[in-house]
Amino acid sequence: DTAVSQTPKYLVTQMGNDKSIKCEQNLGHDTMYWYKQDSKKFLKIMFSYNNKELIINETVPNRFSPKSPDKAHLNLHINSLELGDSAVYFCASSRTGSGYTFGSGTRLTVV
Amino acid sequence: KNEVEQSPQNLTAQEGEFITINCSYSVGISALHWLQQHPGGGIVSLFMLSSGKKKHGRLIATINIQEKHSSLHITASHPRDSAVYICAVRSGYGGSQGNLIFGKGTKLSVKP
């Protein structure tokens, strides 16, 4: 059983489109995250959400929005995709006092 | 200057060598994590530290809170250890508590 699963693994789309990436965790963790890894392999937090509080990195454009239907899911919606959005997006989850578990990543390519 | 600095950026070793990767940070933290990212892209959590030392197999991680420094050691390195090793700290303060701040990673290549 995959602990944190993301879909799709690869996503190729045209500029201007709207797309979503789904994330589910079956670990019972209370906090979920979205991270972006750029072309230089540098990881940066985008959002964290623990069903009480959404914390948004102030550098994230408002074209990006997280949606959490329940504690086990945190989906990422991206509107009006731009070339610069091309990256690998990682979902992760954690519980207070424990380590993080990462999904396998979604490679987004905007053409 | 990044809040989390790693050294070296790249490291090539011969199989069997003892390897050390260093991480320094400049913010208050509640924990420090060492992560491993293989060429396939997946990220695996190796250690979470808030003090002292932890060991798992051939991997050892240490942290000195006063000096704001951590090291990851690999004993008897093997080609399968080839990966990017990422240091990340969890902020201890404010609304961003729980979020990770990442170093830029150390790319390790172990030659047979």
Side-chain angles (χ1 to χ4, degrees):
Chain A
D1 280 346
T2 304
V4 179
S5 61
Q6 292 179 231
T7 55
K9 193 168 174 64
Y10 300 95
L11 182 54
V12 181
T13 188
Q14 289 188 321
M15 281 176 56
N17 283 351
D18 302 338
K19 289 293 178 186
S20 295
I21 306 172
K22 295 185 176 181
C23 179
E24 176 182 4
Q25 56 99 1
N26 62 5
L27 298 166
H29 286 172
D30 49 27
T31 306
M32 296 183 73
Y33 311 84
W34 277 105
Y35 294 95
K36 180 180 180 180
Q37 187 172 43
D38 62 24
S39 57
K40 295 185 179 179
K41 305 293 187 184
F42 187 49
L43 281 155
K44 202 165 184 180
I45 182 71
M46 299 179 72
F47 305 100
S48 66
Y49 186 72
N50 68 359
N51 87 350
K52 295 178 186 176
E53 187 178 17
L54 173 65
I55 299 172
I56 302 171
N57 185 321
E58 60 198 17
T59 67
V60 175
N62 58 14
R63 297 180 295 103
F64 290 78
S65 58
K67 298 279 194 298
S68 181
D70 55 57
K71 278 182 64 171
H73 296 82
L74 184 66
N75 304 324
L76 182 65
H77 296 268
I78 316 169
N79 294 325
S80 303
L81 277 155
E82 300 177 357
L83 292 176
D85 298 331
S86 296
V88 181
Y89 293 85
F90 286 94
C91 177
S93 69
S94 72
R95 181 166 43 218
T96 304
S98 75
Y100 291 71
T101 302
F102 287 81
S104 57
T106 296
R107 183 175 295 275
L108 172 65
T109 304
V110 183
V111 297
Chain B
K1 189 175 189 297
N2 203 32
E3 293 163 302
V4 180
E5 295 283 350
Q6 284 185 238
S7 63
Q9 282 190 316
N10 293 284
L11 181 55
T12 300
Q14 286 299 127
E15 183 172 357
E17 284 185 2
F18 180 82
I19 288 162
T20 296
I21 300 170
N22 294 300
C23 175
S24 297
Y25 54 92
S26 57
V27 295
I29 69 169
S30 57
L32 181 142
H33 297 256
W34 281 102
L35 310 171
Q36 180 192 56
Q37 186 170 27
H38 271 284
I43 299 174
V44 174
S45 180
L46 297 175
F47 294 104
M48 181 180 75
L49 294 162
S50 53
S51 65
K53 176 179 175 178
K54 286 190 177 179
K55 184 175 189 290
H56 182 70
R58 295 180 294 106
L59 273 58
I60 303 165
T62 64
I63 188 168
N64 184 317
I65 297 294
Q66 285 73 32
E67 294 185 3
K68 294 188 175 180
H69 181 269
S70 175
S71 293
L72 176 68
H73 305 285
I74 305 175
T75 61
S77 60
H78 190 276
R80 65 174 173 266
D81 297 325
S82 298
V84 175
Y85 292 84
I86 303 169
C87 174
V89 300
R90 186 168 67 202
S91 170
Y93 303 102
S96 63
Q97 189 171 4
N99 292 341
L100 290 175
I101 305 169
F102 297 87
K104 293 189 176 182
T106 295
K107 186 174 182 179
L108 171 66
S109 178
V110 182
K111 306 292 186 191

